Amino acid sequence: MNLVCRGAAGLVGLGAGVLAWSTLVEPRAFALREFEVPVLPAGAAPLRVLHLSDLHLVPGQRTKQDWVRSLAALEPDLVITTGDNLAHRDAVPAVLDTYRDLLEIPGVFVLGSNDYFPPTLKNPLRYFNDSHQRGEALTSARLPTQDLIDGFTSAGWLDLNNARGALTLRGVRLEFVGVDDPHLEYDRYDQAAGPAAPDTELLVGVTHAPYQRVLDAMTTDGAGLVLAGHTHGGQVCVPFHGALVTNCDLVPGRAKGLSRWWPGAGSTPSSAAPPTAAWLEVSAGLGASPYSPFRFACRPEATLLTLV
């Protein structure tokens, strides 16, 4: 009996420790992931791209804000944010202040569902089924989305929500194609579809949620690099295994990090990619809903991509 009691007490203690770690420690253990991506033509100057996603900012989260501000010291050539910046109706000024120095750098952006609608209390098990309700079906409340857009565009960042744009950085011409949030089914790829201009050296796809229909469309048009967020890397992962869910139809093996994608890739592993396959980088993001503020075996992150 004593052994049983001690065993039960040990399990309770372990559970409490895991809960404390996943809510108090790991969500603040910000990490910078770095990848070198061979997508530029021979002789092109390397480009440093800082990818930020899923900030889910609530005013007063100073540790997160300070860490993001510190990333300006990396001196990237380009900043890309793939949405879900907000987690509170008053968060826009805090988001723009967090990005303050980064807004001095050329940038592009798309929006996620949490840039339109405030977070709501949900059963975490819903993430195992992508058919759950979202957006207007969950709440009639709205966030000041236009204020966020105006803050980004007034700094010169390109709005890629169902749109295209182009930038020349260090002599390299990049063209971008983006969509509004596919998780809300706001994506209208037909409004931005088409191959890149003849003088483009790299077509970059940008989306919040990496649904396969969007990845297929972008890579069919010739995108050599696609960036996304939304998955939180699985958020609660199994050590030495990885993500269990992605909150979209992307397979868990591609929930974060760098992989390959090509039209119809589906669940085919990157090891079987054709030579012309694009590179797909999915960020595990920097935050989470205030109603589910935990992470386990999946540190919050930003990504620095060196394009070569």
Side-chain angles (χ1 to χ4, degrees):
M1 185 64 178
N2 288 337
L3 288 176
V4 172
C5 290
R6 283 199 296 269
L11 289 175
V12 170
L14 177 63
V18 169
L19 180 62
W21 174 270
S22 63
T23 56
L24 299 175
V25 179
E26 191 162 336
R28 296 167 178 80
F30 302 107
L32 180 68
R33 289 165 66 89
E34 298 188 52
F35 298 106
E36 186 174 273
V37 193
V39 288
L40 298 182
L47 294 177
R48 289 158 60 85
V49 178
L50 179 64
H51 179 200
L52 303 170
S53 196
D54 298 89
L55 193 62
H56 289 282
L57 193 67
V58 173
Q61 292 179 325
R62 292 192 179 90
T63 300
K64 185 192 299 184
Q65 291 181 269
D66 289 345
W67 191 83
V68 173
R69 286 192 197 102
S70 74
L71 298 174
L74 297 171
E75 298 183 343
D77 300 297
L78 174 69
V79 179
I80 298 179
T81 176
T82 48
D84 273 8
N85 295 280
L86 309 177
H88 191 280
R89 67 181 60 196
D90 298 326
V92 170
V95 167
L96 297 177
D97 184 55
T98 300
Y99 287 164
R100 181 181 59 218
D101 295 336
L102 294 172
L103 289 170
E104 301 295 322
I105 299 167
V108 304
F109 70 95
V110 294
L111 300 177
S113 61
N114 287 275
D115 295 316
Y116 290 102
F117 299 96
T120 57
L121 183 63
K122 313 179 190 75
N123 181 349
L125 295 177
R126 69 191 281 278
Y127 293 106
F128 285 89
N129 183 350
D130 189 47
S131 65
H132 52 259
Q133 291 182 323
R134 61 202 71 169
E136 292 111 335
L138 282 175
T139 176
S140 60
R142 294 291 194 277
L143 294 173
T145 307
Q146 192 60 50
D147 291 348
L148 180 67
I149 293 171
D150 291 346
F152 286 159
T153 56
S154 65
W157 282 15
L158 301 181
D159 181 349
L160 296 179
N161 290 287
N162 299 324
R164 298 179 81 101
L167 292 169
T168 299
L169 304 170
R170 302 187 66 191
V172 178
R173 178 179 167 81
L174 303 179
E175 191 169 341
F176 303 90
V177 58
V179 290
D180 204 343
D181 184 31
H183 193 59
L184 293 175
E185 298 185 354
Y186 286 179
D187 54 306
R188 301 291 181 269
Y189 188 75
D190 60 294
Q191 296 179 12
D199 60 343
T200 298
E201 291 171 281
L202 175 66
L203 177 62
V204 181
V206 184
T207 179
H208 174 63
Y211 280 85
Q212 294 187 34
R213 67 179 183 271
V214 175
L215 304 182
D216 284 351
M218 289 177 170
T219 52
T220 294
D221 274 347
L225 175 65
V226 181
L227 274 65
H230 177 70
T231 66
H232 296 189
Q235 190 164 328
V236 176
C237 297
V238 177
F240 310 109
H241 172 77
L244 298 176
V245 296
T246 63
N247 199 22
C248 63
D249 64 358
L250 189 70
V251 296
R254 290 186 170 98
K256 66 178 178 180
L258 197 64
S259 64
R260 307 300 297 274
W261 192 269
W262 60 98
S267 60
T268 307
S270 295
S271 59
T276 56
W279 293 91
L280 169 65
E281 192 269 309
V282 180
S283 172
L286 287 158
S289 167
Y291 293 107
S292 54
F294 37 77
R295 280 183 178 257
F296 187 73
C298 187
R299 292 172 64 184
E301 67 180 32
T303 312
L304 184 65
L305 303 169
T306 301
L307 311 186
V308 297

